[in-house]
């Protein structure tokens, strides 16, 4: 089944920041329940936007969310001390967002991850910047899988983010990442592929049709997870439909359930 | 570039039949011009619905359409005598719709096609019925390509229709045809893949989202042509968007042209 990492609980979003600042627990609870009802299978929690408040905001968010959470959380921070606190609070095996090959982040995250029972999002980013070819993405994914395996994280717990780049800057950016996903999945059938999708349409008009057509192509290539807004009915409807067409929905049950719930519109 | 075979000029459609019966040339001209403006690269012409009138209806339709046609025609009939007449009238190299491995159709079509300069749609159908596995589809495509090559039709002029079947009858029907398309294209990179798409959603609700998600998956697998209604803006917008994402649209020019024309909506 496709994993939907709901991206809405992020203090860089104005309403979430206001709710956190005013301790409006009901707003957060309502948002999380809406994401779960819409099909989120992880809830990402990012408390990074209020400078100097990340630890206490993360703590308050977890205290608020966990009593009503039916799915595990994605703990989203670059700061291992925040992640350590959040990891200790987590009631279900969490996903960590994220490690990369950038030296500073890598050196901070590896000791935190060693020996932990968690899922991890691993970005194909290094200090030279974004990857510039399929082979480059695949090489970075190889390094991440090997290094994470070495500290005890199994391949099936790794979510590689190949870093989707805008097709407006280079007509080849779609094919580049699609080829990379196929290459990574051919080498590591158990690894997961995740990431944001909306970068693909940056700089172009009518972004939503680009994003949902692209998620379909990425799913065909082997992407089995994405960081998206579960309340975006068009992209969620496309994900359920593509899952069915790719043979992951026996008797079209999930599709039909989505239609009955009003979540899949033509 | 993706080939769009516009399916609207078919006397089984009530308004087309009325226009043909009353010799309303303007109706036909308007419809063809709309299809061309929307991006049709072939106009399919099927005059089969008025029993006993096919030859004269086909002749009148070609007389009506050709003066304003900027794209070639797809001559759509099971009757070689109708096709022979239409072929002689054709001003641009036509596409013929269609041959199959059903004995009666095959035996009638092969003598007509021998030595002709045309494109041909070749259906993966035989007298045992629809194919029931990817390997079965691929085997039928192999036979069609070899037999057509033997009578002088090059692989690049053959449009294989793998016969899309309803996913409501078997959750595997999507994967079956997608795998078959990849298999056929791996063996014959020059062959084209075409067909109708809407069978995939037969028996299910919200058919349009299924059809447009499916065309995206089929394009990723190697489909480079489809028999569709060019006035269906949602599927046409998806086709242009997928073409861009698959690297077939330098500088996103066709996509942006489509947006400016109001033809691509989120």
């Amino acid at each position: 089944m496709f994993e939907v990492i709901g991206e809405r609980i992020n203090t860089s979003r104005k309403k979430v920041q206001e709710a956190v600042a005013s301790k409006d627990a009901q707003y957060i609870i309502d948002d999380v329940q809406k994401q779960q009802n819409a099909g989120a299978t992880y809830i990402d929690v990012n408390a990074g936007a209020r400078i100097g408040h990340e630890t206490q905001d993360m703590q308050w968010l977890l205290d608020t969310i966990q009593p009503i959470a039916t799915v595990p959380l994605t703990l989203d921070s670059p700061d291992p001390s925040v992640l350590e606190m959040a990891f200790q609070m987590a009631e279900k095996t969490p996903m960590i967002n994220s490690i990369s090959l950038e030296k500073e982040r890598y050196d901070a995250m590896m000791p935190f991850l060693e020996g932990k029972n968690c899922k991890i999002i691993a970005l194909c980013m290094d200090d030279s910047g974004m990857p510039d070819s399929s082979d480059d993405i695949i090489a970075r994914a190889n390094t991440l899988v090997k290094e994470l395996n070495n500290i005890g994280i199994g391949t099936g717990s790794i979510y590689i983010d190949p870093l989707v780049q805008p097709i407006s800057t280079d007509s080849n950016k779609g094919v580049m990442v699609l080829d990379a996903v196929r290459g990574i999945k051919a080498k590591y059938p158990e690894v997961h592929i995740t990431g944001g999708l909306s970068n693909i349409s940056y700089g172009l008009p009518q972004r939503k049709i680009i994003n949902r057509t692209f998620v379909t192509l990425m799913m065909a290539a082997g992407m089995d997870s994405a960081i998206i807004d579960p309340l975006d009915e068009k992209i969620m409807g496309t994900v359920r439909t593509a899952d069915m067409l790719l043979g992951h929905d026996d008797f079209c049950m999930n599709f039909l359930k989505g239609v009955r719930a009003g979540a899949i519109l033509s």
Side-chain angles (χ1 to χ4, degrees), chain A:
Chain A
M1 199 187 66
F2 195 83
E3 300 272 16
V4 174
I5 304 169
E7 69 187 2
R8 296 173 56 84
I9 303 298
N10 188 320
T11 52
S12 69
R13 293 180 64 234
K14 187 159 172 282
K15 288 195 171 177
V16 172
Q17 183 163 151
E18 285 169 2
V20 170
S22 64
K23 301 280 184 281
D24 179 358
Q26 198 57 49
Y27 179 87
I28 301 296
I29 289 169
D30 287 349
D31 193 291
V32 169
Q33 286 177 329
K34 276 186 223 160
Q35 291 189 67
Q36 291 178 157
N37 290 339
T41 55
Y42 281 86
I43 301 291
D44 191 278
V45 184
N46 184 315
R50 301 207 313 150
I51 308 295
H53 293 259
E54 186 176 7
T55 302
Q56 70 204 68
D57 286 355
M58 180 63 92
Q59 192 169 1
W60 180 80
L61 280 167
L62 297 185
D63 276 333
T64 303
I65 293 168
Q66 290 206 95
I68 54 93
T70 56
V71 300
L73 304 181
T74 299
L75 308 172
D76 185 355
S77 171
D79 183 340
S81 72
V82 172
L83 290 172
E84 188 69 54
M85 178 276 296
F87 183 85
Q88 297 305 329
M89 288 180 71
E91 293 164 6
K92 298 185 177 73
T93 305
M95 182 184 288
I96 306 298
N97 186 4
S98 56
I99 191 169
S100 76
L101 295 168
E102 296 159 290
K103 185 168 175 20
E104 196 175 342
R105 178 171 288 212
Y106 181 86
D107 289 348
M109 287 296 295
M110 288 297 276
F112 163 75
L113 289 168
E114 186 158 5
K116 287 249 181 5
N117 176 27
C118 65
K119 321 262 181 170
I120 176 71
I121 297 177
L123 312 178
C124 293
M125 175 73 94
D126 70 18
D127 287 317
S128 72
M130 299 284 270
D132 61 9
S133 70
S134 301
D135 288 345
D136 193 5
I137 299 172
I138 294 168
R140 294 175 188 205
N142 279 340
T143 305
L144 285 160
V145 170
K146 281 182 195 156
E147 297 294 330
L148 289 166
N149 284 170
N150 281 344
I151 60 165
I153 297 186
T155 304
S157 295
I158 301 172
Y159 288 68
I160 295 288
D161 182 342
L163 299 177
V164 169
Q165 298 175 50
I167 198 162
S168 57
T169 64
D170 177 348
S171 314
N172 193 45
K173 290 294 191 194
V175 172
M176 181 178 99
V177 72
L178 290 165
D179 283 347
V181 171
R182 277 186 288 267
I184 295 165
K185 288 294 283 187
K187 183 151 187 188
Y188 303 107
E190 287 176 28
V191 87
H192 300 281
I193 306 289
T194 195
L197 294 156
S198 58
N199 271 357
I200 193 70
S201 60
Y202 180 82
L204 289 174
Q206 304 294 6
R207 294 185 65 178
K208 279 174 187 274
I209 190 173
I210 302 175
N211 296 347
R212 68 175 183 268
T213 304
F214 186 62
V215 76
T216 306
L217 295 172
M218 287 289 275
M219 289 172 71
M223 179 180 238
D224 58 0
S225 167
I227 303 167
I228 53 183
D229 181 353
L231 304 191
D232 178 339
E233 286 181 353
K234 287 196 169 175
I235 204 153
M236 287 294 287
T238 298
V239 165
R240 286 187 202 229
T241 304
D243 235 16
M244 171 180 74
L245 292 170
L246 291 166
H248 305 146
D249 185 5
D250 286 346
F251 307 108
C252 311
M253 295 271 281
N254 286 331
F255 177 83
L256 291 169
K257 208 170 102 181
V259 171
R260 279 193 297 272
I264 298 175
L265 307 170
S266 273

